[in-house]
Amino acid sequence: MADSDAFELYDLRVEVVAGEKEMVCDHREGDYFELRGENLSLPAGQSFPIYPLAALLPLLPAKQRRTAPNDWMTTDAEVACPDPHCGGRFRITRTGVTTFRHGDVTRVPLP
């Protein structure tokens, strides 16, 4: 791949898991969304609250990329709900790898 304009990103699944405290926000254990490239998808009929989504979004591009084995981004998979009164947690799992081409995702030329 080094000689082409191809690169790989991990596909992600972000699932609601129960924490130590009761959940008080509008998410339920087992709810999830998936991320492939820049596209986020939810199962039909399921919603996902914007406040935990806003807390998760900055982490997702880093989780999509290869990281060093000892990097916390590699080893840490659960993120707490941003509401300090809620026990919800969000497990980020790498589910697969998708190959993209630079020329398909940007108009900026390679050097």
Side-chain angles (χ1 to χ4, degrees):
M1 259 189 343
D3 294 333
S4 74
D5 72 341
F7 64 97
E8 295 178 336
L9 293 177
Y10 286 105
D11 302 326
L12 304 177
R13 179 182 177 113
V14 179
E15 183 176 358
V16 179
V17 295
E20 297 172 8
K21 297 188 294 188
E22 181 180 345
M23 288 189 268
V24 296
C25 295
D26 191 23
H27 41 70
R28 295 179 311 271
E29 187 171 10
D31 284 355
Y32 69 93
F33 64 84
E34 294 179 324
L35 182 64
R36 182 175 177 269
E38 64 183 28
N39 296 310
L40 187 144
S41 61
L42 286 91
Q46 185 190 290
S47 62
F48 200 90
I50 64 167
Y51 300 111
L53 181 60
L56 289 162
L57 284 175
L59 302 174
L60 300 180
K63 281 298 241 187
Q64 285 185 298
R65 285 159 172 79
R66 292 182 196 266
T67 50
N70 297 332
D71 187 330
W72 72 270
M73 192 56 72
T74 303
T75 60
D76 296 19
E78 290 190 8
V79 178
C81 181
D83 182 334
H85 302 289
C86 182
R89 301 181 73 75
F90 305 94
R91 182 173 296 138
I92 304 170
T93 306
R94 291 172 168 169
T95 59
V97 176
T98 300
T99 300
F100 296 90
R101 299 189 68 80
H102 182 271
D104 293 338
V105 297
T106 182
R107 296 295 175 239
V108 177
L110 287 171

